[in-house]
Amino acid sequence: MVNKEEVYKDVVTYISELIEGKNNPSGVLCNVTAALHDALPYYFWVGFYIVEDDTLQLGPFQGPVACFRIKKGRGVCGTSWAEAKTLIVPDVEQFPGHIACSSLSRSEIVVPIIRNDEVIAVIDVDSKELNSFDATDQKHLEQVAEILANTSLL
Ligand code: SME
């Protein structure tokens, strides 16, 4: 098993470097998902859903084809948006209304990106194993969310 804390520290530093001085949002956000996906072996799908026109719209991601739009309050992503908080789902089958973009996903974490008290996007990560995500994932993904909230990329 990887030492998550060490891997996340390195990848968050790397992400800060990938972002610095860049003004190509889709390219930078693609690189952010690629850096996370490459670093953490239990990441099956990682990507952004971005708030546009009162809906979450699929943004840059790594992994299989995913759902295109998610309404507020729907699924794990829409619930994280509505509640403006991180959700850790140890077993997606136990989450009422979970949206199964891939039948292979077993556990999930969704972290909102908040600017001026408003959710502007979420980071969504799926794993093929149960119970993949914990407070360490939450802490570092919330750091990534905060870094991105303070850029003009979203
Ligand atoms: N499972 C999510 C949908 C997005 S996919 O996992 C990529 C949800 O329930 O909101």
Side-chain angles (χ1 to χ4, degrees), residues 45 49 66-67 70 74-78 97-101 105 108 124 126:
W45 192 96
Y49 279 95
C67 321
I70 300 173
R74 297 291 176 87
V76 187
C77 293
H98 168 257
I99 300 165
C101 295
S105 292
E108 183 163 3
D124 180 18
D126 289 0

Side-chain angles (χ1 to χ4, degrees), residues 11 13-22 28 31-32 35:
V11 81
T13 303
Y14 185 36
I15 284 171
S16 301
E17 291 164 8
L18 289 171
I19 289 172
E20 202 178 326
K22 313 283 192 322
V28 175
N31 268 345
V32 171

Side-chain angles (χ1 to χ4, degrees), residues 48-99:
F48 295 95
Y49 279 95
I50 300 168
V51 176
E52 277 174 40
D53 303 328
D54 284 336
T55 312
L56 285 173
Q57 311 254 13
L58 182 62
F61 68 92
Q62 295 276 309
V65 169
C67 321
F68 210 68
R69 289 192 186 87
I70 300 173
K71 289 187 180 158
K72 197 169 192 175
R74 297 291 176 87
V76 187
C77 293
T79 305
S80 170
W81 174 20
E83 296 181 359
K85 68 174 194 196
T86 295
L87 295 178
I88 293 175
V89 181
D91 178 354
V92 295
E93 287 182 11
Q94 304 303 317
F95 188 94
H98 168 257
I99 300 165

Side-chain angles (χ1 to χ4, degrees), residues 42 44-45 76 88-95 98-109 125-133:
Y42 53 95
F44 171 56
W45 192 96
V76 187
I88 293 175
V89 181
D91 178 354
V92 295
E93 287 182 11
Q94 304 303 317
F95 188 94
H98 168 257
I99 300 165
C101 295
S102 165
S103 59
L104 296 175
S105 292
R106 287 281 172 270
S107 58
E108 183 163 3
I109 183 170
V125 189
D126 289 0
S127 163
K128 289 199 275 188
E129 310 292 329
L130 294 168
N131 291 307
S132 285
F133 305 104

